[in-house]
Amino acid sequence: MMNRWHVLKRLIPLLAGMVLLLSACGRADLSALRPQGPVADEQFGLMKLTTILMVIVVVVVFALAFYVIIRYRRRPGDKIPVQVEGNHKLEIIWTVIPIILLIIMGVPTIQSVFGLAKDYSKDPDAIQVKVTAHQYWWEFEYPTYGLKTAQELLIPNDAVISIEAKTADVLHSFWVPSLAGKIDTNPGGNVNRMFFEAPKTGVYLGKCAELCGPSHSLMDFKVKVVDRASFERWIAQMKEPVALPADKEVADLLTSQCLSCHAIGANGGQTYPNLTGVGSRDSVAGIMINRDNPEYKNEAPVEDNLKNWIKDPQAVKPGTLMPKVELNDQQLDAIAKYLADLKLNY
């Protein structure tokens, strides 16, 4: 018994330190425990309710257990205590209490489940977004506006966002922790729907929440929430023509090496991520953060990130379908500079 107590005394400071350390890990843009919208608020409320009930049950059970262990511990000369087996009053009490707890949890849970399952796909005031998951990137289509983009979902802060999610390959899961719960993206015609609202402008981090391959943990995206005027300007600029490089050699290189897969404005194909306005995005490939004054390892100016990505995509995201493009240094510099200058001022 004494040895166990010594072990426990050593574990308590360690566990306390871990609690303090992990309590600093929450971020407003990546935490279900710091909700930033009404859907996330409602889901967080359910988490708090169930957690409080579980804590109460655990505290009461342990308190009763310790009380019984101490109060009724066997002493020298004690006889076998009176047995309470078959006590109908006790049996009714410990049957009714769990039923009451289940009702307390069940009623608001059922209300939320059906309330958050509302379908806004036919709502003319909602922003319709078709989300398609790929290994390892995200495509966002705005059918109402005839637009497609990638890696950044830009939305206004004054509307319901109606999501229709599917996958182009394996199973993925669309999740923006601070705005709403996750939804699976399934193959074929099995389309899942959800909605959320984001009344606070800002940038929120999204993740793939379904193990989908070697770069699953690198399958990030951003949700950029702006005011209505900025959203309308972004829509207009996404539709504007985009000029190819003035240098014909660079333009031909871009056409042969990039536009066979990617779209820039009205040019190119839609098979892989749309690159319109790629220079104004917060990241390259979802994980290489664009910063003119980098502070951390994964940060660099957008032009440098583009060079590193184009030069060796497999080094950044193992398993990605983006091939290694054979370019010399001058060609790589020219392509990266052109792409970095593709900015949208909204």
Side-chain angles (χ1 to χ4, degrees):
M1 181 68 182
M2 188 60 67
N3 289 336
R4 291 180 182 177
W5 171 241
H6 285 307
V7 172
L8 186 61
K9 282 197 299 185
R10 293 177 182 177
L11 284 176
I12 288 174
L14 177 62
L15 294 173
M18 289 179 63
V19 169
L20 290 173
L21 179 64
L22 295 175
S23 66
C25 293
R27 289 170 39 174
D29 65 338
L30 184 61
S31 177
L33 303 181
R34 298 182 67 181
Q36 303 295 308
V39 172
D41 274 330
E42 185 168 341
Q43 293 170 338
F44 183 53
L46 286 177
M47 284 192 283
K48 287 192 293 184
L49 173 65
T50 54
T51 302
I52 289 170
L53 289 175
M54 286 188 291
V55 168
I56 291 173
V57 169
V58 169
V59 169
V60 170
V61 169
F62 272 81
L64 289 173
F66 283 121
Y67 172 76
V68 170
I69 289 171
I70 295 170
R71 174 69 177 82
Y72 297 103
R73 68 187 185 278
R74 189 170 184 177
R75 298 176 178 86
D78 280 355
K79 298 178 180 180
I80 296 176
V82 177
Q83 302 299 295
V84 293
E85 181 181 359
N87 187 314
H88 295 302
K89 185 183 293 185
L90 279 176
E91 290 177 355
I92 291 171
I93 290 173
W94 63 52
T95 301
V96 169
I97 289 175
I99 292 174
I100 293 173
L101 293 177
L102 287 174
I103 292 172
I104 293 173
M105 287 192 295
V107 171
T109 299
I110 292 171
Q111 289 176 337
S112 290
V113 166
F114 283 94
L116 296 179
K118 186 175 179 181
D119 186 0
Y120 283 90
S121 60
K122 306 299 182 184
D123 188 337
D125 297 322
I127 301 296
Q128 305 297 328
V129 180
K130 292 185 177 181
V131 176
T132 304
H134 304 257
Q135 289 179 305
Y136 300 95
W137 61 281
W138 297 87
E139 178 181 82
F140 304 112
E141 180 182 357
Y142 300 76
T144 306
Y145 302 97
L147 291 178
K148 281 186 181 181
T149 188
Q151 297 300 89
E152 283 193 0
L153 174 60
L154 194 135
I155 56 175
N157 66 339
D158 62 351
V160 172
I161 312 303
S162 176
I163 300 292
E164 181 182 291
K166 62 179 182 179
T167 181
D169 37 60
V170 301
L171 293 177
H172 301 275
S173 192
F174 176 83
W175 188 32
V176 190
S178 57
L179 295 178
K182 66 178 183 177
I183 185 172
D184 289 342
T185 61
N186 300 320
N190 188 355
V191 174
N192 284 332
R193 291 184 172 86
M194 67 177 290
F195 74 91
F196 63 86
E197 298 173 70
K200 301 176 183 177
T201 59
V203 179
Y204 303 95
L205 184 58
K207 305 282 289 184
C208 176
E210 181 81 30
L211 182 60
C212 55
S215 286
H216 157 70
S217 64
L218 305 176
M219 194 171 161
D220 293 2
F221 64 96
K222 305 290 189 302
V223 177
K224 203 174 271 188
V225 184
V226 298
D227 58 52
R228 173 63 70 165
S230 298
F231 178 72
E232 297 295 345
R233 285 195 296 271
W234 177 78
I235 292 292
Q237 291 185 30
M238 284 288 290
K239 292 184 175 183
E240 289 179 358
V242 181
L244 294 177
D247 187 320
K248 187 178 184 304
E249 183 179 344
V250 178
D252 291 342
L253 183 66
L254 181 79
T255 301
S256 61
Q257 295 289 351
C258 303
L259 296 184
S260 57
C261 295
H262 301 278
I264 299 176
N267 305 306
Q270 296 283 357
T271 309
Y272 293 103
N274 189 310
L275 300 179
T276 306
V278 66
S280 58
R281 293 177 188 168
D282 282 359
S283 63
V284 172
I287 56 170
M288 306 169 75
I289 308 302
N290 299 326
R291 293 287 182 272
D292 291 332
N293 299 303
E295 297 181 21
Y296 302 102
K297 185 179 179 180
N298 65 327
E299 296 180 348
V302 59
E303 192 170 334
D304 292 344
N305 281 336
L306 286 164
K307 287 180 188 178
N308 292 331
W309 172 249
I310 296 169
K311 188 175 182 179
D312 193 357
Q314 292 296 327
V316 180
K317 278 188 177 182
T320 183
L321 296 180
M322 169 79 174
K324 187 175 182 179
V325 183
E326 297 299 332
L327 302 172
N328 60 41
D329 290 343
Q330 291 76 20
Q331 292 172 330
L332 181 61
D333 289 345
I335 293 294
K337 185 178 188 319
Y338 170 76
L339 293 176
D341 289 337
L342 292 177
K343 298 184 184 296
L344 303 176
N345 183 22
Y346 54 88

